[in-house]
Amino acid sequence: MTDRLTQLRQEILERTRELIRLREVPKPFLPGQSVVPYAGRVFDEEEVVAGVSSMLDFWLTLGPEGAAFEAELAAFLGVSRTLLVNSGSSANLVAMATLTSHRLGERRVCPGDEVITVAAGFPTTVAPIIQCGAVPVFIDNDPITGNLRIDHLEDAYVAGKTKAVMVAHTLGNPFDLTEVVRFCRDKGLWLIEDNCDSLGSRYGDALTGTFGDLSTQSFYPPHHLTLGEGGAVNVTKESLLKSVAESIRDWGRDCWCPSGKDNTCRRRFEWQLGELPQGYDHKYIYSHLGYNLKPLDPQAAIGRQQLKKLPGFIQSRIDNWSYLRRGLMDLADVLDFTLPTHATGWSESGFQWEAGKPLVTPSWFGFMMLVKPGGPLSRTGLARALDDAKIGNRMLFGGNLVRQPAFVQLAKDSQGQAFRVIGDLAGADRIMNDSLFVGTYPGLTREHLDHIIAVVRTSFGRS
Ligand SMILES: Cc1ncc(COP(=O)(O)O)c(C=O)c1O
């Protein structure tokens, strides 16, 4: 019987492999007719076979594949622990909620405490701050790096009220980690790095996502690797945050048994916590107000195959960004191009750098351009031209978030108490009004990139 089962399984997996090889053949590219996505899944038969194999096991809930993926991603990053969750948004929610734990004593984020963040970015980097009862304080973005304005950090800080900084590395470009880490250390603040768009980016010798107390990943298809849906919380150093984050992800429970296991602590009926009776089952003791934000095990099986491809994916994003930049190099009179943090310029031989600063190597999520005001074409004009040529393009997510209907409403409902704004947010407004980005993802071929370059060039009247 066992032999028959093994044989059937092998047949199914072999057939799956064959199907994917036959189906996933590149189609000829026809400029203007074929779609050039800004992002997408890049996979081969290995991901599908791993997913099918895990489905055949039918364990379903986070289990052996999840544990292996968590360990492998933690090893890649060099962090103490990685916890899988069902999205990058959930990862941000778990990370923020972790900082509200009573176990953190005086450093705990309490209702009404403030968290510094940046105005132009992704909404669910900010929403968890409010969902956890804290007050986001928006500082401005530098439109050229896309990242937070370091010089606005001090203005945002209020002694005794500010408890954390929570920001993303915009489109894979690491923010100034030297200054942000120093600021957080000097003031005793937590740092959450939203690393959702920057897996594989380097600041000096270290990867982003390893500098903060916590960091987060997204595995939604446009991201550097995909599990379909999914995300992760990284706990960078051995700390209390590990057990708290796990508790928040897993219903708020005190117990840390993996799914399907009992009595990992060997004291299952010996605990007395809260006002519960002595010996109440540890499996059902809740030390936090938690969620259940776990993904499925087959997703992790797919992710393990994606992880093997990650170094190649990262290199491809870097190469694609450089290719686009070279193809558009004579458009600097009409377009501003992103520069990595600490870079002062770009030429065909590479970036020029500020002296004495760490070298920054973004694992680019996208290629951002800002249309110069007063030029022949508006940002929306450029977006339309790209759309007409079937080239995927995106705005920098929510633009200046405080101008989004959700935040306008929140300001009204709370009579201005729900968040604070530092300065005029002119940089975030510039990003909102003038920028868009096209793809750098590993699925783009030279033909795709040449088509993007040609359409941008002709839109500005260049051959
Ligand atoms: C910076 C940033 N943070 C968080 C998220 C949320 O990730 P998810 O879509 O997996 O919820 C995204 C989504 O793209 C993002 O760009």
Side-chain angles (χ1 to χ4, degrees), residues 100 112 118 133 137 357:
T100 68
V118 76
V137 180
K357 299 281 187 178

Side-chain angles (χ1 to χ4, degrees), residues 148-440:
L148 75 159
R149 292 270 307 261
I150 296 299
D151 52 329
H152 290 190
L153 281 171
E154 278 291 345
D155 295 339
Y157 176 75
V158 179
K161 241 179 181 281
T162 312
K163 291 285 177 65
V165 173
M166 182 169 181
V167 264
H169 301 288
T170 301
L171 296 183
N173 188 11
F175 53 76
D176 184 341
L177 281 153
T178 309
E179 288 307 321
V180 174
V181 168
R182 180 181 303 150
F183 176 78
C184 289
R185 199 183 44 229
D186 289 354
K187 311 284 192 203
L189 308 179
W190 301 106
L191 173 59
I192 301 175
E193 288 175 81
D194 178 331
N195 203 40
C196 288
D197 297 343
S198 45
L199 182 57
S201 295
R202 286 186 180 274
Y203 186 85
D205 292 334
L207 289 163
T208 57
T210 64
F211 290 79
D213 300 285
L214 296 167
S215 66
T216 59
Q217 308 296 157
S218 166
F219 305 125
Y220 192 65
H223 294 258
H224 294 62
L225 53 87
T226 189
L227 283 61
E229 300 284 352
V233 180
N234 305 306
V235 183
T236 54
K237 294 169 219 61
E238 186 64 38
S239 75
L240 198 58
L241 298 175
K242 225 151 91 169
S243 59
V244 176
E246 201 163 326
S247 169
I248 301 279
R249 180 193 67 174
D250 301 347
W251 304 277
R253 68 187 184 159
D254 203 73
C255 163
W256 57 88
C257 287
S259 283
K261 289 235 162 63
D262 291 338
N263 205 19
T264 309
C265 65
R266 296 179 186 281
R267 300 174 52 205
R268 181 173 169 191
F269 299 110
E270 289 166 36
W271 294 84
Q272 196 287 307
L273 292 171
E275 295 176 8
L276 292 168
Q278 171 74 36
Y280 197 79
D281 187 351
H282 193 221
K283 250 190 168 353
Y284 292 100
I285 296 182
Y286 302 95
S287 39
H288 297 98
L289 292 179
Y291 307 89
N292 175 5
L293 299 172
K294 295 191 295 299
L296 298 176
D297 217 37
Q299 291 175 261
I302 294 165
R304 293 184 69 197
Q305 299 303 318
Q306 287 268 290
L307 259 179
K308 292 182 191 163
K309 300 185 170 90
L310 184 58
F313 286 170
I314 294 165
Q315 192 55 50
S316 175
R317 286 176 177 275
I318 294 171
D319 294 344
N320 290 346
W321 194 97
S322 303
Y323 192 83
L324 288 169
R325 186 67 185 83
R326 265 196 303 279
L328 299 172
M329 67 182 161
D330 56 330
L331 269 68
D333 55 327
V334 284
L335 289 171
D336 285 319
F337 297 98
T338 302
L339 281 174
T341 294
H342 302 323
T344 54
W346 178 90
S347 68
E348 264 189 281
S349 52
F351 295 107
Q352 292 97 49
W353 300 98
E354 272 177 74
K357 299 281 187 178
L359 195 67
V360 170
T361 317
S363 166
W364 297 103
F365 185 84
F367 183 89
M368 188 163 94
M369 299 168 262
L370 294 127
V371 172
K372 287 197 170 165
L377 198 65
S378 68
R379 185 274 312 279
T380 307
L382 178 58
R384 286 216 177 94
L386 290 165
D387 261 6
D388 290 346
K390 294 198 160 42
I391 296 170
N393 61 92
R394 291 288 183 271
M395 303 202 172
L396 183 63
F397 312 128
N400 183 345
L401 291 173
V402 305
R403 305 204 188 281
Q404 287 281 348
F407 285 87
V408 171
Q409 189 63 43
L410 196 63
K412 265 193 210 146
D413 292 348
S414 68
Q415 293 169 353
Q417 302 300 300
F419 58 88
R420 274 201 312 125
V421 170
I422 305 301
D424 60 5
L425 304 183
D429 280 342
R430 167 109 211 268
I431 288 172
M432 179 179 66
N433 291 321
D434 296 340
S435 79
L436 61 72
F437 71 90
V438 292
T440 51

